[in-house]
C-alpha cells in the first residue's frame, strides 16, 4: 500500500509491485485491449458480458492508469490490495451463471473520509494515518454489495475544512486534472481529479457546503447533493453532521443515477434518514430521458449570477446554458426573484459542532480509535498550517454534549427555525412560479491557481442554498473557459425531487455534450 506519510506525490506505483504485470502492447492480429478512458458503467458491463473484456482486465487497466499518471495530480491515497482478487471472484461468479449485481465490476474511487474496513481512512489528517475502521461506511457497504470494486481511496482537504482546495496533512496536495497549476476545489478534489482522469469509473465524495458539487464543476463532472435524509452519512468522518451529505461523482448523469440508486435509502445508523424513509424512488434511472428538459418550467436565480462578481466567460456560458434549455423545450422564468442574501442572514443557521460530531465518530471506531477528542492534534502539532484556525475555532465547543443541549442551543436541521424558514420561503416562491427547478452557475469564478487557492477563491454558489435548506442539487458540465477550465451548471429542486434533477440534467447533458476528457491522460497501450 501507498505509504501513509506526508511525502508529496509519492508514487502510486509502490503499491503495485505485487500485482500482475502490465499486459504487453497490442500486436498485429491481436484483439486490442478494452479502453477505459471515459467509459461508462453500461459499456463496461456490456464488454464483460460479451467477452470483449474480463472484470480483471477492467480493474487492471484502471490500476495501471493510477500507476502511470497519479504523480501528476496526486489524487490517490491508497490502493486496495485485494482489488484484483475481487475482480477474479466476480469473473468466476459470471462464469458460474450467477446474475450480475447492479454495479457489477464498477471500479470506484472513494474519498478518504469514508470508512473502509480494509484500507486506512485518514480524513485528510496525519493524526489518523494508521486508522483502519472496524467496518465500512453505509455507502461503501452498499456499493460493494451491489458488485462495485473499491480500487482506491482519494485525497481530500484536511478534515474537509476547505472548499478551496484539497490539501491534507496525510497525503499533501491534489491538482486539477484539466490544469495542473489550478485547484480541483475542496474537499473532494481527489475523487474529482481521479474520476476525471479515468483512474476510476466513478467515485464517492461528501458535501457539507460545496464538496461534491464544487469539485465536480471544476473537473467537468456530474455530482449530486441529495435531500438531507435521503442518503446515509454513517461511517463518513463528519464536518457538521446537520449539513453533511455523501454521494456519487461521475462523468455522466446516467452513471451517477445508477450509483445513487444503490446508495440512497434508509439506514438505522443515521437518524436523519428516518425523515426520508419511504421517499426513495424505486429506480432513478427511469427518469433519464434525452428529451427530459421539454415541458419543464425552470427559474433562473439571477441573485446568484451577479455580473460584477461573475467571470465574463462563465457568464457567457451560463447565458448560453439558459438558451440551450429553452431550445431543448424548457419554459424559462428569467429572472426568478428570490432574496438569497436575506435568507442567509437568519439567526442560528450554522453552529460549530465539529468537535462533538468527531467525538461521536471516534467512539464508533472502538478501543482502537487513535483519538478521543479531535482537538488533541493541537497539542502535538499533527495538522497543516491552514487547518489550525478551523481547529481552534472549535475549542470553546463542548466535547460530549449534543449541540441542541448547549447553553446557546444549536438545533438539528429539522428543528432549526432559520433553516426551515429558508426552505419554506424558497419552496413557496417556486410554487408561486410553478417551477420544476431553479438554475445558477456552480461557480462564478474559474478554478484558482494552486499557489493562490485562498486569495483567488470566489463565487462559490454551492454554499448558498442547498446546505442550509436541505434541498437537493446537481451540477452538470456547462462548458469550458480559457479553453480548458471546466464550468458547471447547478440545478436545484424541491426536497426528494432527485428524479426531477436527473431528468433535467440528463436532458441538458444529452442536448449539449459539453464533457470532454482532460489532456495528458491518454489511453495506455
Amino acid at each position: 500500500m501507498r505509504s501513509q506519510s506526508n511525502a508529496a506525490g509519492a508514487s502510486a506505483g509502490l503499491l503495485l509491485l505485487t500485482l500482475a504485470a502490465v499486459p504487453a502492447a497490442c500486436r498485429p492480429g491481436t484483439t486490442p485491449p478494452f479502453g477505459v478512458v471515459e467509459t461508462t458503467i453500461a459499456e463496461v458491463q456490456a464488454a464483460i458480458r460479451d467477452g470483449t473484456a474480463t472484470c480483471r482486465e477492467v480493474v487492471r487497466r484502471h490500476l495501471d492508469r493510477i500507476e502511470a499518471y497519479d504523480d501528476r495530480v496526486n489524487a490517490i491515497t491508497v490502493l486496495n490490495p485485494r482489488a484484483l482478487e475481487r475482480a477474479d471472484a466476480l469473473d468466476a461468479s459470471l462464469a458460474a451463471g450467477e446474475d450480475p449485481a447492479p454495479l457489477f465490476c464498477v471500479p470506484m474511487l472513494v474519498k478518504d473520509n469514508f470508512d473502509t474496513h480494509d484500507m486506512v481512512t485518514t480524513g485528510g489528517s496525519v493524526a489518523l494515518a494508521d486508522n483502519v475502521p472496524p467496518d465500512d461506511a453505509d455507502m461503501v457497504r452498499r456499493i460493494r454489495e451491489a458488485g462495485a470494486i473499491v480500487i482506491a481511496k482519494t485525497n481530500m482537504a484536511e478534515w474537509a475544512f476547505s472548499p478551496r482546495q484539497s490539501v491534507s496533512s496525510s497525503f499533501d496536495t491534489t491538482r486539477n486534472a484539466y490544469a495542473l497549476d489550478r485547484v480541483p476545489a475542496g474537499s473532494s478534489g481527489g475523487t474529482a481529479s481521479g474520476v476525471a482522469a479515468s483512474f476510476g469509473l466513478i467515485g464517492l465524495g461528501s458535501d457539507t457546503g460545496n464538496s461534491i458539487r464544487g469539485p465536480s464543476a471544476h473537473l467537468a463532472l456530474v455530482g449530486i447533493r441529495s435531500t438531507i435524509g435521503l442518503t446515509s452519512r454513517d461511517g463518513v468522518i463528519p464536518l457538521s453532521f446537520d449539513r453533511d451529505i455523501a454521494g456519487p461523482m461521475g462523468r455522466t448523469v446516467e452513471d451517477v443515477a445508477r450509483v445513487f440508486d444503490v446508495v440512497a435509502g434508509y439506514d438505522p445508523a443515521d437518524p436523519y434518514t428516518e425523515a426520508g424513509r419511504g421517499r426513495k424512488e424505486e429506480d432513478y434511472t427511469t427518469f433519464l430521458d434525452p428529451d427530459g428538459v421539454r415541458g419543464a418550467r425552470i427559474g433562473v436565480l439571477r441573485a446568484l449570477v451577479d455580473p460584477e462578481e461573475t467571470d465574463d466567460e462563465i457568464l457567457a456560458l451560463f447565458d448560453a446554458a439558459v438558451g440551450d434549455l429553452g431550445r431543448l423545450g424548457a419554459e424559462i422564468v428569467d429572472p426568478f426573484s428570490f432574496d438569497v442574501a436575506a435568507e442567509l442572514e437568519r439567526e442560528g443557521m450554522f453552529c460549530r459542532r465539529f468537535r462533538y460530531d468527531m467525538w461521536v465518530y471516534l467512539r464508533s471506531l472502538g478501543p482502537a480509535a487513535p483519538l478521543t477528542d479531535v482537538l488533541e492534534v493541537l497539542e502535538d502539532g499533527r495538522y497543516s498550517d491552514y487547518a489550525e484556525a478551523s481547529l481552534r475555532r472549535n475549542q470553546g465547543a463542548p466535547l460530549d454534549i449534543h449541540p441542541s443541549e448547549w447553553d446557546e442551543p444549536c438545533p438539528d436541521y429539522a428543528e432549526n427555525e432559520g433553516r426551515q424558514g429558508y426552505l419554506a420561503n424558497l419552496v413557496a416562491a417556486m410554487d408561486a412560479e410553478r417551477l420544476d427547478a431553479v438554475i445558477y452557475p456552480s461557480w462564478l469564478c474559474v478554478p484558482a491557481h494552486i499557489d493562490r487557492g485562498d486569495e483567488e477563491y470566489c463565487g462559490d454558489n454551492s454554499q448558498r442554498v442547498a446546505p442550509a435548506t436541505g434541498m437537493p442539487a446537481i451540477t452538470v458540465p456547462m462548458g469550458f473557459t480559457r479553453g480548458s477550465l471546466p464550468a458547471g451548471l447547478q440545478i436545484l429542486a424541491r426536497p426528494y425531487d432527485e428524479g426531477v434533477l436527473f431528468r433535467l440534467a440528463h436532458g441538458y447533458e444529452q442536448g449539449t455534450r459539453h464533457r470532454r476528457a482532460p489532456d495528458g491522460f491518454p489511453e495506455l497501450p
Side-chain angles (χ1 to χ4, degrees):
M1 294 173 67
R2 194 169 188 169
S3 172
Q4 284 92 55
S5 71
N6 294 340
S11 172
L14 295 176
L15 289 165
L16 302 173
L17 294 177
T18 61
L19 301 177
V22 177
C26 297
R27 300 179 179 88
T30 64
T31 302
F34 179 74
V36 298
V37 173
E38 297 290 299
T39 193
T40 66
I41 293 175
E43 290 168 346
V44 162
Q45 293 179 341
I48 295 172
R49 283 196 305 269
D50 68 19
T52 302
T54 63
C55 185
R56 166 176 270 267
E57 181 183 358
V58 170
V59 171
R60 171 75 266 172
R61 290 187 66 78
H62 282 92
L63 293 172
D64 288 344
R65 291 184 62 76
I66 293 171
E67 181 178 27
Y69 297 130
D70 189 50
D71 279 352
R72 302 181 186 181
V73 291
N74 194 42
I76 304 302
T77 59
V78 295
L79 298 186
N80 182 352
R82 301 185 66 180
L84 289 175
E85 178 183 331
R86 176 61 180 152
D88 289 340
L90 290 174
D91 281 329
S93 72
L94 197 64
E98 296 179 18
D99 291 333
L103 300 182
F104 179 87
C105 195
V106 175
M108 290 189 64
L109 306 179
V110 171
K111 186 177 178 179
D112 192 25
N113 60 347
F114 285 74
D115 281 357
T116 45
H117 75 275
D118 49 358
M119 290 172 278
V120 295
T121 300
T122 79
S125 171
V126 69
L128 300 186
D130 299 317
N131 174 43
V132 180
D135 55 13
D136 287 340
D138 179 74
M139 281 196 181
V140 173
R141 175 188 61 80
R142 288 173 183 254
I143 62 172
R144 282 176 155 161
E145 289 178 355
I149 301 176
V150 178
I151 63 169
K153 303 287 288 289
T154 58
N155 197 32
M156 59 179 286
E158 187 162 349
W159 301 120
F161 280 159
S162 177
R164 298 165 174 81
Q165 52 186 323
S166 295
V167 180
S168 68
S169 60
S170 46
F171 295 100
D172 208 53
T173 303
T174 296
R175 296 176 179 272
N176 188 313
Y178 284 88
L180 301 182
D181 63 341
R182 303 275 179 160
V183 302
S187 61
S188 307
T191 296
S193 271
V195 172
S198 295
F199 295 169
L201 201 160
I202 194 168
L204 293 180
S206 64
D207 186 317
T208 306
N210 157 85
S211 299
I212 287 174
R213 294 158 297 143
S216 292
H218 273 0
L219 272 300
L221 299 179
V222 178
I224 187 168
R225 177 190 167 94
S226 76
T227 305
I228 289 180
L230 187 60
T231 50
S232 173
R233 293 82 47 80
D234 174 60
V236 180
I237 296 177
L239 176 56
S240 187
F241 190 75
D242 63 333
R243 288 174 176 248
D244 292 342
I245 294 290
M249 304 163 65
R251 296 187 293 265
T252 69
V253 176
E254 180 179 336
D255 283 353
V256 170
R258 284 172 178 258
V259 173
F260 191 81
D261 220 34
V262 168
V263 300
Y266 173 71
D267 173 17
D270 183 343
Y272 274 34
T273 63
E274 183 63 42
R277 191 199 285 256
R279 304 298 298 272
K280 178 184 180 292
E281 299 285 353
E282 184 175 347
D283 183 355
Y284 286 98
T285 65
T286 62
F287 289 87
L288 303 178
D289 178 358
D291 199 31
V293 170
R294 187 168 305 281
R297 191 168 163 88
I298 299 174
V300 180
L301 189 54
R302 289 286 172 185
L304 299 187
V305 201
D306 181 357
E308 296 298 318
E309 187 182 2
T310 309
D311 177 86
D312 289 345
E313 292 186 41
I314 288 180
L315 183 59
L317 289 177
F318 180 70
D319 286 342
V322 173
D324 285 334
L325 289 166
R327 172 180 58 82
L328 294 168
E331 184 178 356
I332 305 297
V333 178
D334 187 6
F336 165 55
S337 297
F338 186 79
D339 195 342
V340 173
E343 297 292 340
L344 291 172
E345 290 174 359
R346 290 171 175 268
E347 291 187 6
M349 297 284 279
F350 186 85
C351 67
R352 300 197 182 282
R353 54 180 293 162
F354 172 66
R355 187 183 189 189
Y356 170 80
D357 290 336
M358 278 301 302
W359 175 74
V360 173
Y361 169 77
L362 291 166
R363 290 179 68 200
S364 76
L365 299 177
L371 300 168
T372 300
D373 178 359
V374 68
L375 297 189
E376 291 171 28
V377 301
L378 290 171
E379 300 171 8
D380 56 33
R382 288 182 294 173
Y383 55 84
S384 297
D385 290 344
Y386 83 90
E388 180 178 4
S390 295
L391 289 165
R392 294 200 181 279
R393 279 194 288 269
N394 286 275
Q395 284 182 299
L399 172 65
D400 55 358
I401 301 173
H402 190 278
S404 65
E405 300 173 1
W406 292 354
D407 291 340
E408 294 184 13
C410 184
D412 274 313
Y413 165 71
E415 291 78 39
N416 187 303
E417 292 182 4
R419 296 176 68 185
Q420 292 301 315
Y422 185 176
L423 169 63
N425 285 352
L426 182 49
V427 170
M430 292 176 66
D431 289 345
E433 293 285 359
R434 296 178 290 111
L435 299 181
D436 294 291
V438 172
I439 60 169
Y440 44 88
S442 294
W443 291 93
L444 301 182
C445 303
V446 301
H449 289 91
I450 204 157
D451 57 350
R452 295 183 58 81
D454 289 338
E455 297 88 341
E456 295 180 3
Y457 170 74
C458 64
D460 184 357
N461 274 339
S462 294
Q463 307 273 2
R464 295 171 176 169
V465 185
T469 63
M471 298 167 74
I474 192 168
T475 187
V476 63
M478 186 172 72
F480 293 82
T481 66
R482 316 297 193 268
S484 62
L485 300 180
L489 173 71
Q490 195 152 153
I491 311 172
L492 178 95
R494 292 174 181 79
Y496 303 105
D497 264 0
E498 280 79 0
V500 171
L501 293 182
F502 284 124
R503 175 168 57 84
L504 296 177
H506 184 68
Y508 173 75
E509 171 197 59
Q510 296 300 301
T512 56
R513 300 283 186 172
H514 287 304
R515 163 117 192 128
R516 67 173 186 259
D519 294 333
F521 303 90
E523 197 79 64
L524 293 173

